[in-house]
Amino acid sequence: MTSVQQGTLRASGASIFYRSCGRGTPVLILAGGAADADATDPLRDALAERFRVITYDRRGLSRSRIDPGASAPSVATHAEDAHLLLATLTDEPAYVFGTSLGGLIGLELLTEHPEQVRALVVHEAPTRQLLPQAERDALAAGQQAMLDAFHWEGVAAALQVSAELSGLDPEDREPDIASSPMGPAEQANLTFLFGSDAPQIMAYQLDIPAIDVQAGKITPAAGRSTGRSLLHRCAEALSDMLERPLAEFPGGHTGWLLRPQAFATRLVETFAQAERRDWRLGDGLGPRHGGRL
């Protein structure tokens, strides 16, 4: 087992807990939902033989405490935390994997600090404004139903709506990945997700021109088993906008969690493909082509 270093970083209005494991080119994992650094351990371990993998608790989750009186974090706030983390831990650009909310954070990080990002894999991020109007309205309605369920019925009801919206199949998992009951820490993280982060996701607006400039560094990605979900459609819409192939990954929206070994293998392949596109181009531009990887 590769040794793991961990620590806490002071950011504006919060303390950010992080872990670093392995050697080589840095990889930053930006998890979505209520996932903290513990949830990403299996994926991290599968990557750590090849890379130096950086994981952390997003501001407001688990060990990353928000200072009393500090405002609720926006997507931009989370991206600045990721920027500070990379600036503190490495002096070279990192491969970045962002899923769901983490994908939005990755896009914000790339547009604000492109020098820190070697390549970015955006997995089923809720890029609602890229969808055709009917699908955009459907996703907005689903997100609002999730928030309403949280406010009126609690975490369990909101989680059910979220699972339906994401097209989750809890049985789509590797044999050695077991489900575990929700404990107090998970409950607290989900409460923060639905009470604070989810409204910020709904309010977030992509900087489309800035993203387009960095198209050469971005790989849109989606789960093989979520083809009918609106989040899969978001990934397709990002692919279409950037004229970049859509990379298919094992499992569904949480394939990184339920199929970490296969998911890590696909990430390694995707990073290698991104490297061949010559990430060193200063403005992030490169040849564009559609299709499916």
Side-chain angles (χ1 to χ4, degrees):
M1 174 66 69
T2 306
S3 62
V4 179
Q5 295 80 44
Q6 65 183 41
T8 301
L9 180 68
R10 274 301 302 170
S12 177
S15 298
I16 307 300
F17 174 86
Y18 68 87
R19 290 188 178 127
S20 175
C21 179
R23 295 181 179 180
T25 303
V27 172
L28 175 65
I29 296 177
L30 300 172
D36 60 11
D38 296 344
T40 60
D41 280 352
L43 179 61
R44 178 205 68 193
D45 293 345
L47 292 168
E49 293 300 319
R50 294 172 176 260
F51 303 101
R52 181 189 180 193
V53 187
I54 300 167
T55 60
Y56 71 111
D57 296 350
R58 199 170 64 241
R59 179 185 295 232
L61 301 184
S62 299
R63 294 145 293 201
S64 289
R65 307 295 186 183
I66 297 177
D67 295 347
S71 58
S74 64
V75 173
T77 306
H78 290 310
E80 281 303 300
D81 290 341
H83 155 65
L84 182 59
L85 194 60
L86 288 175
T88 302
L89 296 180
T90 182
D91 58 2
E92 61 178 302
Y95 291 123
V96 179
F97 166 65
T99 180
S100 196
L101 168 56
L104 296 183
I105 296 169
L107 289 169
E108 182 77 12
L109 172 68
L110 175 59
T111 57
E112 292 297 319
H113 304 283
E115 75 286 350
Q116 290 187 305
V117 180
R118 192 181 189 100
L120 168 65
V121 176
V122 181
H123 179 259
E124 297 198 0
T127 52
R128 188 179 73 200
Q129 73 195 80
L130 303 182
L131 293 173
Q133 190 63 53
E135 291 179 324
R136 188 185 310 176
D137 292 345
L139 181 52
Q143 291 172 323
Q144 187 59 55
M146 179 182 69
L147 294 186
D148 291 345
F150 171 68
H151 288 300
W152 292 105
E153 302 177 63
V155 163
L159 197 58
Q160 179 62 37
V161 177
S162 176
E164 294 169 358
L165 198 61
S166 305
L168 293 185
D169 177 4
E171 301 307 315
D172 187 2
R173 63 177 66 226
E174 290 170 349
D176 57 341
I177 300 298
S179 59
S180 56
M182 186 189 306
E186 290 79 12
Q187 181 86 14
N189 284 351
L190 285 165
T191 297
F192 187 83
L193 170 68
F194 294 127
S196 181
D197 278 337
Q200 294 293 331
I201 293 171
M202 294 183 66
Y204 182 67
Q205 291 292 307
L206 298 167
D207 186 342
I208 293 176
I211 291 171
D212 193 59
V213 167
Q214 299 298 330
K217 291 185 178 182
I218 301 170
T219 298
R224 290 196 183 103
S225 62
T226 58
R228 295 183 179 180
S229 80
L230 287 169
L231 294 181
H232 194 288
R233 284 289 300 123
C234 284
E236 292 175 336
L238 181 62
S239 173
D240 291 342
M241 186 199 83
L242 298 176
E243 299 178 7
R244 287 295 184 190
L246 180 67
E248 292 187 331
F249 273 71
H253 188 63
T254 55
W256 61 273
L257 177 67
L258 300 180
R259 293 191 171 276
Q261 294 297 323
F263 205 96
T265 297
R266 187 69 177 102
L267 264 180
V268 172
E269 294 171 353
T270 306
F271 292 154
Q273 289 166 346
E275 186 74 14
R276 289 194 292 271
R277 289 205 302 259
D278 191 7
W279 61 270
R280 296 170 185 82
L281 290 171
D283 60 2
L285 293 175
R288 295 189 180 198
H289 55 90
R292 191 172 295 265
L293 292 177

